């Protein structure tokens, strides 16, 4: 990931690649599957539409937009409904 990396999604806004990795690692124990439905590429941008499967919520559709510069990810924007993931 690039030095100027940033992530923005419903549950977090991060300006640090290490913090993004840590966030993904915290989600890992409850993630049971990730099914990629579609991938769209336009120059330096990639949008992945996938379904996140977890042990704590019903399948969650996610749109993930990644921007790459000089071969490194510098921006990720994720869109999904987090309500089921936050439920007790």
């Amino acid at each position: 990931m690039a030095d100027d990396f940033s992530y923005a999604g419903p549950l977090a806004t991060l300006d640090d690649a290490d913090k993004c990795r840590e966030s993904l690692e915290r989600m890992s124990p409850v993630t049971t599957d990730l099914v990629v439905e579609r991938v769209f590429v336009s120059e330096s941008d990639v949008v992945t539409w996938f379904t996140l499967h977890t042990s704590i919520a019903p399948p969650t559709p996610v749109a993930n937009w990644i921007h790459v510069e000089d071969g490194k990810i510098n921006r990720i924007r994720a869109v999904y409904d987090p309500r089921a993931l936050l439920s007790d």
Side-chain angles (χ1 to χ4, degrees):
M1 292 186 209
D3 292 337
D4 63 344
F5 172 83
S6 69
Y7 168 88
L11 297 177
T13 300
L14 306 167
D15 289 325
D16 183 286
D18 290 332
K19 288 182 182 177
C20 185
R21 281 188 207 96
E22 291 168 7
S23 178
L24 291 170
E25 287 171 4
R26 283 192 303 275
M27 189 68 179
S28 179
V30 298
T31 301
T32 59
D33 200 4
L34 191 147
V35 179
V36 175
E37 309 292 345
R38 296 281 186 270
V39 177
F40 305 94
V41 179
S42 177
E43 298 179 14
S44 296
D45 295 297
V46 178
V47 174
T48 305
W49 178 265
F50 62 89
T51 303
L52 174 66
H53 295 261
T54 69
S55 60
I56 61 172
T60 303
V62 179
N64 196 55
W65 172 22
I66 297 173
H67 181 75
V68 177
E69 286 185 12
D70 299 321
K72 294 185 177 185
I73 297 170
N74 77 330
R75 185 173 58 241
I76 300 174
R77 301 295 179 259
V79 180
Y80 57 93
D81 182 349
R83 290 177 292 183
L85 295 168
L86 297 172
S87 297
D88 288 310

